[in-house]
């Protein structure tokens, strides 16, 4: 066992290992709370002052972290929120969980990673373990991050321990909380991966070491590319099934009974969130540098991004069958977040549907029990109240996201027409329901 590994083990045993989490969003906050709840001293760093204030007030802004759990670790002094990177000179481990958006379609924007890593490199002591959790293209850790540390005189093997470990959390999934999702770690050298494994074993049941940071980076992209392609496939099959007059939902339910070789995916208004729509495009972009063009990724991305347009087309047909033009019709969008019961609007297809409907001069309103106001581009809306009087006004209610708190029986009773894109009325045979 190396000297560093022995030192880490001792510190972990005595709960003296000091940890910093940079970026306290959907990924970083649960992670920081996880280590703090185990009695470790955690510094939570973010450039967003509002988020720091919320944590100091012991109020959570992330669905997967309750205010009670957050309040407990802050009150006990285990989680210390801050925007002062100077505190990094006191820590043994830094986990980086900053956003990785796209600059434009097919072009990654890793500027948040670069900025966070520069701040980290300027402030850590030699021998610190740095782990990147943000999803990124293969080679980022070796080609972009390591040189930043080298420029600060922090060179491997002893000056810096550097690992990539993709976050695989699924917000809102109670069956698989952080502790039950195996963690992948890939270091710039075997010692880095070994140390990262020791760190994650504090809060995660199973840690899987791979041979390099590049492999770990690609594992995450394989997982999300697999999802995007299957979502694109089922969206296309849903459009095909509609043309052929067969019910895609019934087909999926039946196919699901096969105990092997099939995994159900469901059609929807598109693909949202900060991961699935853009992560595969990181891989697409990097592969092009090797002269390889991924046809699957491009096609799946095209199909899923076209779904809001398809929803609007179908709605137009539904209304036309009732002698109503879309222009001037009153449309109620039900559920605007990208995912059930998660307060996250990033890349939500509902926003595209609303925008497209407004462009076609429909009168659009929305109802979402967890999003009271909606402000994007020049659209400014307030969630309506779901009551008989408000529902009577609409020509059609379009279900985009199926939150648990929605009263679907009431919606059905009081609506003139429902376009159900989530199959929430799977067992209801009512003529005023149209399925995707
Ligand atoms: N949201 C998910 O479900 C999910 C799941 C798996 C992986 N990921 C990946 O994890 C990463 C983070 O995603 P997220 O959803 O937590 O993002 P987020 O936007 O919720 O949180 C990121 C936080 O980083 C902060 N930040 C930005 N630049 C910073 C800097 N230089 N220093 C300190 N803080 C900084 C932001 O203020 C923000 O609070 C992304 O790469 C994403 O693709 C996300």
């Amino acid at each position: 066992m190396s000297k560093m590994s022995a030192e880490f083990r001792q510190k972990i045993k005595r709960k003296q290992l000091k940890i910093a989490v940079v970026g306290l969003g959907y990924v970083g906050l649960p992670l920081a709370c996880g280590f703090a709840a185990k009695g470790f001293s955690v510094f939570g760093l973010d450039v967003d002052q509002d988020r720091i204030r919320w944590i100091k007030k012991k109020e959570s802004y992330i669905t997967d972290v309750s205010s009670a759990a957050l309040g407990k670790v802050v009150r006990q002094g285990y989680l210390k929120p801050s925007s002062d990177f100077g505190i990094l000179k006191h820590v043994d481990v830094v986990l980086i969980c900053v956003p990785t958006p796209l600059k434009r379609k097919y072009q990654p924007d890793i500027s948040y990673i670069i900025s966070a890593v520069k701040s980290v490199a300027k402030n850590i002591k030699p021998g610190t373990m740095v782990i990147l959790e943000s999803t990124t293209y293969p080679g980022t850790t070796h080609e972009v991050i390591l040189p930043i540390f080298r420029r600060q005189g922090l060179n491997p093997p002893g000056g810096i321990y550097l690992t990539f470990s993709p976050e695989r959390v699924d917000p809102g999934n109670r069956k698989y909380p952080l502790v039950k999702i195996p963690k992948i770690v890939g270091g710039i050298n075997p010692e880095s991966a070994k140390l990262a494994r020791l760190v994650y074993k504090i809060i995660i049941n199973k840690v899987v070491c791979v041979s390099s940071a590049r492999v770990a980076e690609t594992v995450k992209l394989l997982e999300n590319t697999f999802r995007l392609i299957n979502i694109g496939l089922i969206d296309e099959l849903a459009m095909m099934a509609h043309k052929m007059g067969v019910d895609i939902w019934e087909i999926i339910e039946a196919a699901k009974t096969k105990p092997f070789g099939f995994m159900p995916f469901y059609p929807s208004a598109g693909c949202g969130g900060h991961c699935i729509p853009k992560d595969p495009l990181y891989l697409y972009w990097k592969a092009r540098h090797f002269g390889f063009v991924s046809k699957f990724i491009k096609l799946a991305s095209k199909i899923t991004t076209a779904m809001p347009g398809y929803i609007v087309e179908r709605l137009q047909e539904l209304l036309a069958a009732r002698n109503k033009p879309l222009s001037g019709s009153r449309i109620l969008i039900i559920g605007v977040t990208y995912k059930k019961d998660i307060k996250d609007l990033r890349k939500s297809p509902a926003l595209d549907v609303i925008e497209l409907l407004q462009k076609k001069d429909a009168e659009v309103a929305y109802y979402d029990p967890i999003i009271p106001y909606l402000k994007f581009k020049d659209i400014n809306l307030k969630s309506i109240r779901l009551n008989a009087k408000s529902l009577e006004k609409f020509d059609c209610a379009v279900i985009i996201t199926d939150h648990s708190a929605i009263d679907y029986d009431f919606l059905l009773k009081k609506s003139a027409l429902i376009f159900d894109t989530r199959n929430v009325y799977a067992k209801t045979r009512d003529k005023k329901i149209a399925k995707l």
Side-chain angles (χ1 to χ4, degrees), residues 195-391:
L195 293 179
R197 186 173 182 278
L198 291 177
V199 173
Y200 283 123
K201 283 298 281 179
I202 298 170
I203 56 163
I204 286 164
N205 293 347
K206 186 174 177 185
V207 182
V208 180
C209 285
V210 294
S211 62
S212 67
R214 205 180 294 270
V215 168
E217 287 157 345
T218 319
V219 169
K220 173 73 186 179
L221 297 181
L222 165 64
E223 291 166 4
N224 284 359
T225 300
F226 171 83
R227 287 191 65 78
L228 180 75
I229 286 171
N230 280 287
I231 293 168
L233 171 67
I234 204 70
D235 282 348
E236 189 183 71
L237 287 175
M239 294 187 269
M240 190 194 293
H242 174 68
K243 281 264 181 231
M244 294 167 70
V246 280
D247 182 342
I248 189 70
W249 303 95
E250 189 186 352
I251 295 163
I252 299 168
E253 280 315 299
K256 230 166 87 174
T257 58
K258 188 178 179 184
F260 51 87
F262 182 79
M263 179 187 270
F265 281 82
Y266 300 94
S268 65
C271 194
H274 186 53
C275 297
I276 314 292
K278 59 95 189 166
D279 293 349
L281 304 183
Y282 269 58
L283 186 57
Y284 180 89
W285 177 85
K286 187 66 181 180
R288 289 205 72 158
H289 287 72
F290 293 85
F292 190 90
V293 179
S294 166
K295 297 185 195 76
F296 264 129
I297 296 177
K298 193 166 185 178
L299 181 62
S301 178
K302 255 184 155 173
I303 292 174
T304 51
T305 36
M307 283 311 280
Y310 175 71
I311 298 294
V312 172
E313 258 174 47
R314 287 281 310 277
L315 180 57
Q316 203 157 4
E317 284 166 19
L318 281 170
L319 291 166
R322 283 160 182 78
N323 296 320
K324 270 188 185 300
L326 181 55
S327 159
S329 284
R330 283 157 300 183
I331 310 297
L332 176 64
I333 301 295
I334 304 283
V336 291
T337 61
Y338 88 89
K339 192 176 181 185
K340 181 176 180 158
D341 298 339
I342 297 296
K343 208 174 171 173
D344 190 345
L345 289 166
R346 289 179 294 180
K347 295 222 175 293
S348 175
L351 308 186
D352 293 330
V353 172
I354 291 174
E355 209 185 345
L356 288 171
L357 287 173
Q358 288 202 340
K359 275 189 188 147
K360 291 198 176 267
D361 297 321
E363 263 183 56
V364 192
Y366 84 96
Y367 169 69
D368 192 309
I370 57 175
I371 304 286
Y373 302 98
L374 200 54
K375 239 182 146 177
F376 68 102
K377 298 191 182 165
D378 53 356
I379 291 167
N380 214 335
L381 295 170
K382 189 174 170 208
S383 174
I384 65 149
R385 283 173 198 276
L386 209 61
N387 56 40
K389 208 170 154 218
S390 66
L391 282 176

Side-chain angles (χ1 to χ4, degrees), residues 1-33:
M1 191 191 304
S2 74
K3 193 169 154 252
M4 192 63 180
S5 180
E7 199 182 311
F8 257 53
R9 278 177 199 275
Q10 272 305 315
K11 283 189 175 175
I12 290 170
K13 206 169 151 196
R14 295 180 183 151
K15 303 211 170 179
Q16 287 169 346
L17 194 79
K18 291 200 166 61
I19 300 164
V21 177
V22 177
L24 300 169
Y26 289 87
V27 167
L29 190 63
L31 207 56
C33 289

Side-chain angles (χ1 to χ4, degrees), residues 22-28 45-48 51 62 85 97-100 112 115-116 119 133-135 167-169 171 220 274-275 278-279 338 344 346:
V22 177
L24 300 169
Y26 289 87
V27 167
L45 284 168
D46 206 297
V47 289
D48 183 338
R51 289 197 155 173
I62 300 288
F85 280 78
C97 314
V98 295
T100 44
Y112 295 91
S115 160
S119 308
E133 289 223 359
S134 304
T135 309
E167 186 48 69
R168 305 162 103 188
V169 56
K220 173 73 186 179
H274 186 53
C275 297
K278 59 95 189 166
D279 293 349
Y338 88 89
D344 190 345
R346 289 179 294 180

Side-chain angles (χ1 to χ4, degrees), residues 133-151:
E133 289 223 359
S134 304
T135 309
T136 185
Y137 59 79
T140 308
T141 309
H142 253 104
E143 295 158 15
V144 183
I145 299 178
L146 182 57
I148 299 175
F149 288 111
R150 283 192 191 279
R151 282 198 288 277

